[in-house]
Amino acid sequence: MTSAEQERREADLLDRVVHSFDDCPDPRLRQLMTALVRHLHGFVREVRLTEEEWTKAIEFLTAAGHITDDRRQEFILLSDVLGLSMQTIAVNNEAHGNATEATVFGPFFVANSPEIPIGGDSSGGAPGEPCWVEGTVTDTEGQPVAGARIEVWEADDDGLYDVQYGDDRIAARAHLFTDEGGRYSFWAITPTPYPIPHDGPVGQLLAAVGRSPMRASHLHFMVTAEGLRTLVTHIFVRGDELLGSDTVFGVKESLVKDFRRHAPGPTPDGRAMDRAWSQVTFDIVLAPPLS
Ligand code: BEZ
Ligand code: FE
């Protein structure tokens, strides 16, 4: 219980900090900074933060800064495991009719992926069970979107993205374009679960609170088309036991798809597959652009 005098001191300090932004010439920046300060002070006062805890928090952020470089972004990882990335996506992608839902981007997208033709192979030799992916891209009126650019990327069967090997390989990522009917298809690998990078401060935090670093199995998509809103999303595998505990809160029911498993045999593109494979359909609906 804090005394009335203590309350007054704490409120007075907050008031002075908030008013320090009164002359900020950019109203949006002023709004952001004053709200941030109010919430941060509210946190400190609610939990009665100790000075040792404050020091630990500074050490944590310092360690996150030290491990961050061109290839590793610990702050985004922190935002992801706190659900802040997904909350920001939710705020910025209010449901628009039947448009496909967005989810977290993640740190493993790489620009300039190899182009493959419709029916081509995105795996680039990455280990994993072959997976035939097909679907359409339409707008919210159901009109096919021809020439939409579809970027796909995923972890391999060993739970690693190509960029995590550190040997310049390019695998399990590609892009292709829809045909005049908005259709697309390609070979990928059946997604499997993998942990987010957990050898740094965010991993230590997850361990300290008893949380797993595992992500539910997924295949990333980014779809762009002129005059429509860019969609960043994944599809997830129905039946995956991690769907309810994805460590970055990325799962949305509408993105959980049936990956039908097949014994060796004929495939939709007329091959005779000599090993087990899977097949999924993902029909993508792009929202109108943000005005
Ligand atoms: C990913 O799916 O690639 C990912 C997303 C958030 C954090 C780490 C990885
Ligand atoms: Fe991923």
Side-chain angles (χ1 to χ4, degrees):
M1 231 359 185
T2 51
S3 69
E5 171 58 13
Q6 179 67 20
E7 281 279 343
R8 196 198 57 74
R9 284 185 196 176
E10 293 173 11
D12 179 62
L13 173 61
L14 171 58
D15 207 44
R16 283 187 288 127
V17 180
V18 166
H19 281 298
S20 74
F21 298 102
D22 282 355
D23 294 335
C24 175
D26 178 340
R28 176 64 174 163
L29 181 58
R30 184 166 65 243
Q31 181 190 18
L32 294 175
M33 292 311 299
T34 53
L36 180 66
V37 159
R38 266 197 300 273
H39 285 276
L40 288 175
H41 282 240
F43 165 74
V44 170
R45 295 171 74 191
E46 178 188 321
V47 303
R48 310 310 299 167
L49 192 73
T50 68
E51 285 169 284
E52 288 74 29
E53 288 163 345
W54 181 88
T55 302
K56 245 186 150 170
I58 296 294
E59 284 168 359
F60 175 86
L61 292 173
T62 304
H66 284 159
I67 203 171
T68 294
D69 61 18
D70 292 352
R71 289 171 159 259
R72 174 76 177 254
Q73 231 305 349
E74 199 73 359
F75 292 101
I76 294 184
L77 225 45
L78 179 60
S79 162
D80 293 341
V81 302
L82 296 181
L84 291 178
S85 306
M86 283 304 292
Q87 195 67 276
T88 306
I89 288 165
V91 165
N92 284 279
N93 289 270
E94 277 187 62
H96 190 286
N98 53 343
T100 302
E101 291 192 276
T103 190
V104 63
F105 194 43
F108 297 123
F109 173 76
V110 176
N112 303 320
S113 67
E115 181 174 345
I116 55 170
I118 287 178
D121 183 4
S122 69
S123 78
E129 178 189 80
C131 176
W132 176 256
V133 186
E134 65 185 358
T136 55
V137 179
T138 58
D139 63 17
T140 49
E141 309 286 302
Q143 292 302 313
V145 181
R149 180 181 175 121
I150 302 176
E151 291 274 356
V152 292
W153 67 104
E154 62 179 321
D156 65 21
D157 232 17
D158 295 320
L160 293 171
Y161 284 81
D162 53 3
V163 287
Q164 293 179 285
Y165 285 96
D167 60 5
D168 292 336
R169 76 180 68 180
I170 299 174
R173 70 176 70 248
H175 70 273
L176 69 163
F177 296 91
T178 52
D179 69 13
E180 67 291 340
R183 290 175 294 260
Y184 73 91
S185 57
F186 62 94
W187 284 101
I189 52 182
T190 308
T192 47
Y194 69 87
I196 64 167
H198 59 110
D199 56 344
V202 169
Q204 285 167 13
L205 174 66
L206 290 177
V209 299
R211 269 177 55 184
S212 158
M214 294 302 288
R215 287 223 61 200
S217 314
H218 60 272
L219 171 61
H220 291 260
F221 281 76
M222 178 163 67
V223 187
T224 47
E226 218 175 296
L228 292 166
R229 198 178 309 175
T230 294
L231 172 70
V232 173
T233 197
H234 327 327
I235 51 173
F236 296 91
V237 180
R238 194 176 313 283
D240 182 351
E241 59 187 26
L242 291 169
L243 285 175
S245 61
D246 183 50
T247 200
V248 301
F249 307 95
V251 179
K252 290 177 172 171
E253 176 52 33
S254 67
L255 301 174
V256 178
K257 302 293 173 192
D258 292 312
F259 282 68
R260 284 164 286 152
R261 315 301 286 265
H262 299 286
T267 64
D269 60 344
R271 299 178 194 211
M273 187 65 79
D274 59 0
R275 48 193 294 216
W277 58 285
S278 71
Q279 177 174 19
V280 64
T281 301
F282 180 33
D283 291 329
I284 297 163
V285 180
L286 298 182
L290 292 166
S291 48

